């Protein structure tokens, strides 16, 4: 079973608190809850600002906050705006959905172009309306 250690060099100031699991520091911890019952394994629940970058076997419960969801959306939007692999994957997924539902653009636009327009609209990068 992993060993959790919480240290704070100054008991009057929480900003110096550090968290360790099996000697490896856990970064970006927002809060930690501890629970133990007589017939249960002790559980430390870490609330993180992002996904931890530690590797180990343990019983860990990581909660997701609205801030971490907002951060994830921001990262995803940034990656989509790069028009790289993630963008192309989303576009291909939209294209296959359009093909599955037998949707055809107006007039006769390929599904790939419609998928790109939808994705650009979703990430706030819509282009000028080509019809006007």
């Amino acid at each position: 079973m992993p060993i959790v250690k919480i240290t704070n060099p100054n008991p009057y100031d929480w900003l110096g608190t550090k968290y360790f699991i099996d000697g490896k520091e856990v970064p970006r911890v927002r809060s930690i809850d501890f629970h133990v019952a007589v017939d249960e394994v002790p559980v430390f629940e870490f609330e993180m600002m992002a996904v931890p970058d530690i590797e180990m076997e343990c019983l860990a419960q990581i909660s997701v906050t609205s801030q971490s969801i907002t951060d994830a959306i921001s990262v995803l939007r940034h990656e989509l705006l790069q028009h790289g692999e993630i963008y192309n994957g989303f576009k291909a997924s939209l294209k296959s959905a359009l093909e599955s539902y037998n949707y055809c653009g107006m007039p006769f636009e390929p599904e790939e172009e419609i998928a790109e327009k939808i994705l650009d609209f979703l990430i706030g990068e819509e282009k000028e309306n080509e019809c006007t």
Side-chain angles (χ1 to χ4, degrees):
M1 184 178 327
I3 296 174
V4 175
K5 181 179 179 183
I6 302 169
T7 63
N8 189 334
N10 183 358
Y12 303 106
D13 183 12
W14 61 269
L15 289 174
T17 305
K18 293 188 178 192
Y19 309 90
F20 300 88
I21 299 175
D22 283 341
K24 297 178 185 175
E25 186 172 2
V26 181
R28 299 178 302 275
V29 174
R30 288 189 61 178
S31 69
I32 186 168
D33 291 321
F34 173 72
H35 173 77
V36 65
V38 176
D39 59 344
E40 294 178 358
V41 173
V43 176
F44 285 86
E45 185 174 328
F46 291 83
E47 183 179 339
M48 312 290 292
M49 295 286 277
V51 177
D53 55 359
I54 54 175
E55 293 182 28
M56 67 190 67
E57 292 181 28
C58 68
L59 172 62
Q61 297 177 344
I62 300 172
S63 62
V64 178
T65 64
S66 61
Q67 181 61 42
S68 62
I69 292 170
T70 302
D71 292 343
I73 290 169
S74 177
V75 168
L76 179 59
R77 182 175 187 275
H78 174 76
E79 290 299 319
L80 287 170
L81 288 171
Q82 302 303 311
H83 290 256
E85 288 181 30
I86 295 175
Y87 179 89
N88 292 330
F90 267 88
K91 187 168 73 171
S93 179
L94 286 169
K95 177 184 174 218
S96 65
L98 291 169
E99 290 170 344
S100 294
Y101 291 105
N102 297 319
Y103 176 81
C104 178
M106 296 291 292
F108 308 109
E109 285 181 282
E111 286 85 357
E112 186 170 351
E113 288 181 23
I114 298 297
E116 186 170 12
K117 288 178 183 179
I118 291 170
L119 183 55
D120 288 345
F121 178 81
L122 288 173
I123 62 175
E125 194 181 65
E126 61 267 26
K127 295 172 178 67
E128 289 294 318
N129 188 344
E130 296 169 359
C131 297
T132 60

